[in-house]
Amino acid sequence: MKKEPTKQEYARKVKALTPKFSSFTNCWHAFLSGGLICVLGEIIHQIAINRYHMSQENAYITVSIILVLLSILFTGFQWYAPLAKWCGAGTLVPITGFANSVASPAIEYQAEGQVFGIGVKIFTIAGPVILYGVFASWLVGVIYWILKVIGVL
């Protein structure tokens, strides 16, 4: 019959198995990687404006499209997860992290088919963000419209 470990033995086991981390190192990785993603975005922006003579608006759209495309490609080639593990919160720069959260379940469940795999699972993580984002923008639009009608704005 196996003896139950004491609280001290259990605590020692938990401490030995718990991964060690440094808050400073994690913050540095997040700062560095998030900054590099933003620098990449600015480089794309400057190339779009200076080389391709795009308007500011079109250059920003181009940056968004390229960053989303790169994030999805990194997810598809399974480079995003190891990168995110090292970068931590740095890869959560909104557009790249959001693209990964949409592409990841789609890739993971593609074997289950187009409808029941990709179609059902693609928005498991991003779905609530999209839902509440659309609802919040609708609500703000209605409030704006009401204030405009009664003459406040």
Side-chain angles (χ1 to χ4, degrees), residues 67-125:
L67 288 178
V68 165
L69 176 65
L70 287 173
S71 180
I72 291 170
L73 287 173
F74 272 51
T75 302
F77 287 118
Q78 297 179 353
W79 299 336
Y80 199 93
L83 182 68
K85 186 175 182 178
W86 187 85
C87 297
T91 55
L92 295 179
V93 172
I95 199 158
T96 56
F98 188 73
N100 172 260
S101 72
V102 172
S104 224
I107 292 167
E108 184 177 345
Y109 291 98
Q110 69 183 350
E112 294 180 26
Q114 295 291 318
V115 176
F116 294 112
I118 296 172
V120 172
K121 296 293 186 176
I122 195 166
F123 293 114
T124 53
I125 295 174

Side-chain angles (χ1 to χ4, degrees), residues 18-41:
T18 302
K20 311 291 186 275
F21 68 92
S22 164
S23 292
F24 177 78
T25 303
N26 288 348
C27 289
W28 174 247
H29 288 178
F31 173 77
L32 184 66
S33 57
L36 288 174
I37 292 170
C38 293
V39 167
L40 175 63

Side-chain angles (χ1 to χ4, degrees), residues 44-56:
I44 295 166
H45 180 255
Q46 291 303 317
I47 289 171
I49 288 176
N50 296 324
R51 181 165 178 158
Y52 296 105
H53 309 292
M54 291 183 184
S55 67
Q56 285 284 346

